[in-house]
Amino acid sequence: MLIQINLMVFKKLFVFPNKYIDKRNFAPSSSQQIEQSPAGEDGWYIYGAADAKGVFTVVALAPRSLLQIQPRQIITGDELGINYIQEVNWQNTERNKGKFNTVLLKPVETQNSLNQSISKWQEGNKAIVLHLFGGIGGRKAETLGVPYTITGHFAFGIAEVVRDEFTKELRFETKYYQIYAHNPDGIIAGTHTWADYMGNLQRGWLATRPVSDILIKFDPVTQDYDFDGVKLSPLKQFQQQLQITMARYRVGDGTGGAMVSPATSCIQDSSQALYAAILAIKNQVATTPKIQAWVRANPNHPQTLRFQQLVELGKSLERQLAPLGIVRADWQSQAGILAGTGIGKTTKPFQDISIWAGLTTWRTIMPRLAHDDLAAIFLKHGATMQVLRTNQVGGWQPNITPIAPTVLLGQIKIPFTNISPLSILLNRTFASLAVPTLKDWLVSVVLLIIYSIIALPYGWKLGFLQMEIWSVSWIDKCLLILRCLFLPAILEELLFRVFLLPHPSEITNWFQWSLWAIVSLLLFVLYHPLNAKTFFKAGIPTFYNYVFLVLAAFLGIVCTIAYTLTGSLFVIVLIHWVVVVVWLIVFGGITKLNNNQKIYNTKI
C-alpha cells in the first residue's frame, strides 16, 4: 500500500519489526527520524501483513518518489551523460547521506525535453537495470576486502513500467537477477524484487548502503523480433542466461560452495551471462537462413534498422567483455554449450578461477568500472536511461555513513581532488595490452613507411643521418636490439603515451585529449636533452641537436597517431623500437653515442 501520514499516526496503525543487530554491530534499518527523510515527501509504499493480533507489521518500505517515472533532473548529450555516470553520480556520497536523486540521461537534445522524456516511458516498457551498491563507513564501518578499495556489488536486473494500483500513476517495478556468492547476509543467488532486496527492513540495502540503479531503455534490446515467424528475443535470451548462472551459483557448480575470486564474482559471472547471451543470439542468426534472408530483403524496414543497432551494440559489448581480444576458455565453453556450438568439444561447464583468467576480463573485475563502462556503451549507442541513486535512505543511523564504490585502489587520491592516479595508470596499462588485430599491424607498417619517407630525406639532407652500419658480432647486435626493446621503446611508450594519454576507449572530449597529446609530445621531446644532462651522458651533444629533436618530435607524433588508432601498446612499441634500432645500427647512431661517451670519459 501507499501511505503519506504523520509518524505518530503511522506508529499507531503499523508496527515496525524488532531490529536485530547483525555481525556488523548495527541494525539493517531504523525508524528513527524517518518522518524527516526527504525520500518520504511523496509517501512510502509499505509492504507487510497483519500479525496474530491483526496489527499490520511492516516488512519493507519503498519511497514513492524514487520509483516514479518523472525524473528530478535531465541531462542531455553523450559527453555530459558519460561525465555524470563516471564522475557526478557518486560525488559527495557521504555528504548526501539520507538523500536520493533521479536523473534522466538522454543522448540527443530535443524540444520540450521533460514531457517527451516522460512520454518515452509507456506502460509495459521494459529496461535493463545496472545495479551497483557501495560501502559502509562511519564509526561502525565495514572492513575492506581489498586495501584502499570499495569493491561494492554488481547485478543485472529488469525493470518494467507498471500502473500503480493505488495512485494509478506509472512507476518502475524492478527485479534483480542476483548472481551472489554464498554469504552471511541471507542473500541467495536468484531473482529478487525491489522490496525484497532493497526495501526489506531485515536484510535490504536501502537504509545501509549507497545504491545506483541505472535503468536502460534501448528498443533494439528490449523489444522482440519476428522475422516471418522466426522469433528472436534478446531480453529473454539474456534472462535465460542469468537464470542459468544463478542456478550454478546456488549449488556452486555441484560443489556446494560458490566463492569469490578475481575471475569468479558477481560482476565477472554476470558478464559471462551477458557474453553467453550475445553468443547465443549470434548463433541463432548464423544458423537461421530465414532471418538472414528477411534482413537482406527488407534493408530499410524499421525492424532491420533496429536489428542493425543490436548488432553494433553486440560488437561494442564483446570488446568490453574481452578487452584483450582473448575470450576466456570457461566463458567460451559455457556459452558454446548453451548455444549449441560447443557440443562435441566439452559437455561439462567449468570455472577458471586463475588470476590470468581474471586479467583477460579485467574490465569486469571491479563492479564500479563495469557499471560505468556498460552504461557509457549503451548511452553512446543511443539508449535513454534513468538513474535512481540513494544514500542510506530511510530512518537515521548516526554510526554509519555511505561510501561510494571505487575501482582498484580508488581511495588513494591526489589531495584536494577526486583523481585516483594509481587506478588511472592501472586501467590505462591494462587497456593498452589488447592483442593487436591485423588492421592494427597494418597501421604500424603504414605509419613506419610515412615516418621513413619524411625522416630519412630530412636527416640525410642536414647531415644527421649517414649510411654507417655498425660492424660488430651478431651477438652484440642482438643484445643491443633486446636492450632497445625495453629502453627506450617499452619504457618511453608507457610513460609518454600509455600513462599520459587517455586510452581511445576513454575519449569523450577530443579537445581535452588534444591538450594531453600536446603535453605528452612536449615532455617526450624535452625528456631527451634532460636525460642526456642527468643519466645518459653519452647523449651529449646528440640529444641537444635540433635535427635529432625534430626527428624525435615526429616519432612522438607518429606514435600518438598509432596509439589513437589502435589503443595498443604493442603497436607503438614496435614503431619506436624499429626506428631506434635502425638509427643505431644502420644510420650511424651507435657511432655517435660511442664517440660522445669517449669524449665524456676523456673530460673526466
Side-chain angles (χ1 to χ4, degrees), residues 45-219:
Y45 289 103
I46 299 177
Y47 302 81
D51 62 12
K53 298 180 180 179
V55 179
F56 189 91
T57 301
V58 181
V59 175
L61 293 174
R64 175 191 177 193
S65 48
L66 176 70
L67 304 180
Q68 291 173 324
I69 65 170
Q70 293 88 351
R72 293 189 159 201
Q73 182 182 356
I74 294 178
I75 295 175
T76 302
D78 287 0
E79 186 178 331
L80 291 176
I82 292 172
N83 180 68
Y84 182 86
I85 292 166
Q86 297 177 343
E87 301 292 339
V88 181
N89 192 25
W90 292 99
Q91 279 182 358
N92 304 317
T93 296
E94 292 185 61
R95 193 185 309 164
N96 289 326
K97 177 181 177 178
K99 300 177 182 179
F100 78 100
N101 196 21
T102 56
V103 181
L104 184 76
L105 305 180
K106 300 171 65 237
V108 181
E109 180 67 70
T110 58
Q111 292 181 346
N112 199 9
S113 293
L114 179 59
N115 291 334
Q116 288 193 17
S117 299
I118 293 173
S119 66
K120 280 181 175 291
W121 294 107
Q122 303 293 332
E123 186 173 0
N125 284 169
K126 292 185 177 180
I128 290 178
V129 177
L130 306 180
H131 166 77
L132 175 65
F133 72 50
I136 302 172
R139 289 194 293 271
K140 295 186 177 180
E142 61 186 353
T143 57
L144 298 183
V146 180
Y148 304 106
T149 305
I150 307 297
T151 55
H153 166 73
F154 177 92
F156 284 112
I158 304 295
E160 183 176 0
V161 178
V162 300
R163 190 164 298 279
D164 187 76
E165 59 183 310
F166 296 106
T167 64
K168 306 305 178 183
E169 66 187 9
L170 296 180
R171 66 174 178 85
F172 297 113
E173 186 171 86
T174 300
K175 290 184 179 179
Y176 300 102
Y177 291 81
Q178 292 292 345
I179 296 173
Y180 221 105
H182 292 165
N183 61 89
D185 297 316
I187 299 173
I188 299 173
T191 306
H192 296 256
T193 64
W194 194 97
D196 178 52
Y197 174 77
M198 283 288 294
N200 190 284
L201 300 181
Q202 299 287 14
R203 59 179 180 273
W205 297 125
L206 180 66
T208 56
R209 292 187 183 277
V211 176
S212 171
D213 281 349
I214 300 183
L215 283 56
I216 302 172
K217 184 180 185 295
F218 191 53
D219 291 345

Side-chain angles (χ1 to χ4, degrees), residues 460-479:
W460 200 278
K461 180 179 179 180
L462 296 177
F464 182 77
L465 299 178
Q466 304 92 27
M467 182 65 70
E468 188 175 346
I469 298 176
W470 190 34
S471 300
V472 293
S473 68
W474 65 270
I475 295 179
D476 288 335
K477 288 180 181 177
C478 288
L479 289 174

Side-chain angles (χ1 to χ4, degrees), residues 333-334 337 345-351:
S333 169
Q334 173 72 3
I337 292 169
K345 301 176 184 177
T346 179
T347 57
K348 185 182 295 185
F350 69 97
Q351 283 189 323

